[in-house]
Amino acid sequence: MGLRAWAPGRVNLIGDHTDYMGGLVLPVAMGLGTEITGDRGGNWVMLGSERFDGVAEIPLEGVDDPSRVEPPWARYVAAVVSELQPDNGFVGMIHSGVPPGSGLASSAALEVALAAALGADLDDPVGVAQACQRAEQRAVGVPCGIMDQLVAVAARPDQALRIDCRRLTVANVPFPADAEIVVVESGQPRELASSAYAQRRKECEAAEEVIGSLRDASPSAVEAIEDPLLRRRARHVTTENDRVDALAAALADGQLRYAGELLVASHASLRDDFAVTTPELDELVVALRSVPGVYGARVTGAGFGGCVVALCQPKTRLKLPVLWRGRPCGGASVSGAVTEG
Ligand code: GLA
């Protein structure tokens, strides 16, 4: 096999349900990712999967409606090809190391790895991420933001990535040497398309109709929203944006205790104001907080199930189902011979 393209899954340290409202996020790339091996050439993108049955066979000009392609996992392939309309086809295999439905952006890892395999310009992270974000929206109809795709391209080792989702700018935030990220599974799979994700986005947009951009809204403007549900949704987004910058500063200064408190405050906001946690996720956060060496923990990603991220002293012992632990990893890469024709 000539070519190897790879893209990581993501763990969001803080800033959930803010990206699609032009807010701030602070994710990292994890060491688990999706690899695509094979060769460029021909007029089709033909991929098998180690994890799923069936084959994706997509013509280079793409398809009108990727959401109708079978098997269902091939919808992501169809959507990426339709967005990129590459000059050359590809024949190969997908090896996915990010468990699907765990809130770790397995679909973004697949989209970005495929874009890299098809020759997308990884030196233009925003362009690649925007194409893959559109692909995600077309493949499964989820009105997602850009966080997952952008961190999968732009992440650097040992750095968290602060993304300003309004300006589409990124900045590296050094991750402290004496800390470790631990991802713990709740065992509850979550499916974004069937979750209240789109409904939350609509609620935030309804709040913006009352007070204007949530990114610019003052706390007093938020508290003046009459509808109690919209007020809570807006309060989450605005306070979460503030917590992103507070965590970036705390990590850069090595203030790990305060960093942990911010994670816990973010979880409480996602639980009480945004209503996207579950009893299992809430219990996991409580359990983790009682472990010596854990600074703080919160749900990571969209919620409704999935995983919890904890900030810990390195090698903290945990009697919980740890899915991954480590330091921030790098973004997408391509290597090997490129045969085209
Ligand atoms: C999913 C979406 C992201 C983001 C998170 C929640 O992962 O793909 O764009 O909205 O949920 O923060």
Side-chain angles (χ1 to χ4, degrees):
M1 285 296 174
L3 185 142
R4 172 189 180 273
W6 186 86
R10 72 98 184 87
V11 184
N12 193 16
L13 295 182
I14 207 159
D16 270 311
H17 292 279
T18 50
D19 63 349
Y20 52 76
M21 298 310 293
L24 303 173
V25 295
L26 192 67
V28 303
M30 62 196 302
L32 306 177
T34 291
E35 184 181 60
I36 297 183
T37 52
D39 294 290
R40 282 190 196 146
N43 293 323
W44 291 78
V45 175
M46 301 210 324
L47 289 167
S49 162
E50 270 189 345
R51 193 185 280 264
F52 299 109
D53 288 340
V55 178
E57 287 183 79
I58 313 296
L60 291 189
E61 65 275 18
V63 297
D64 287 340
D65 185 358
S67 72
R68 298 169 76 95
V69 165
E70 294 290 340
W73 63 265
R75 292 171 191 169
Y76 296 104
V77 177
V80 170
V81 174
S82 303
E83 283 299 323
L84 296 180
Q85 303 200 332
D87 294 335
N88 283 281
F90 192 92
V91 179
M93 279 297 283
I94 302 169
H95 318 264
S96 33
V98 189
S102 53
L104 302 171
S106 60
S107 54
L110 170 58
E111 290 147 13
V112 171
L114 178 56
L118 295 176
D121 179 8
L122 297 178
D123 292 331
D124 172 22
V126 171
V128 176
Q130 284 177 319
C132 290
Q133 177 193 16
R134 287 193 300 270
E136 172 92 29
Q137 295 181 345
R138 288 178 69 183
V140 283
V142 176
C144 66
I146 200 167
M147 165 171 68
D148 302 348
Q149 290 81 8
L150 189 46
V151 73
V153 189
R156 294 281 172 271
D158 294 322
Q159 315 283 323
L161 193 72
R162 178 191 184 274
I163 305 174
D164 180 329
C165 301
R166 175 154 74 182
R167 298 190 177 86
L168 292 178
T169 52
V170 297
N172 289 310
V173 175
F175 190 78
D178 51 349
E180 188 176 53
I181 298 161
V182 179
V183 176
V184 181
E185 281 177 289
S186 73
Q188 257 187 319
R190 69 110 193 77
E191 174 115 21
L192 273 195
S194 62
S195 75
Y197 185 93
Q199 189 190 333
R200 291 292 177 280
R201 181 168 178 162
K202 277 201 191 116
E203 291 161 354
C204 291
E205 285 163 359
E208 285 203 333
E209 274 172 28
V210 183
I211 59 166
S213 160
L214 293 184
R215 178 73 186 273
D216 302 323
S218 67
S220 57
V222 169
E223 294 311 320
I225 297 176
E226 253 175 61
D227 182 315
L229 184 133
L230 297 189
R231 191 191 316 139
R232 286 200 297 275
R233 303 298 187 251
R235 190 193 295 140
H236 166 71
V237 174
T238 52
T239 59
E240 187 81 345
N241 281 334
D242 291 344
R243 280 186 291 268
V244 168
D245 275 339
L247 184 65
L251 291 178
D253 289 352
Q255 291 177 25
L256 291 167
R257 266 175 218 293
Y258 180 49
E261 285 169 23
L262 289 165
L263 297 197
V264 171
S266 169
H267 186 86
S269 179
L270 287 158
R271 180 190 63 211
D272 302 337
D273 283 339
F274 220 67
V276 293
T277 72
T278 62
E280 286 81 356
L281 292 165
D282 298 343
E283 277 165 30
L284 255 188
V285 168
V286 171
L288 277 159
R289 288 181 66 192
S290 70
V291 177
V294 174
Y295 295 110
R298 63 184 283 278
V299 60
T300 186
F304 313 106
C307 288
V308 161
V309 57
L311 186 67
C312 304
Q313 287 169 5
K315 303 201 181 113
T316 296
R317 288 167 66 93
L318 291 170
K319 292 190 192 125
L320 291 164
V322 171
L323 194 140
W324 180 78
R325 65 192 305 162
R327 299 178 55 74
C329 299
S333 60
V334 196
S335 59
V338 178
T339 26
E340 293 181 7

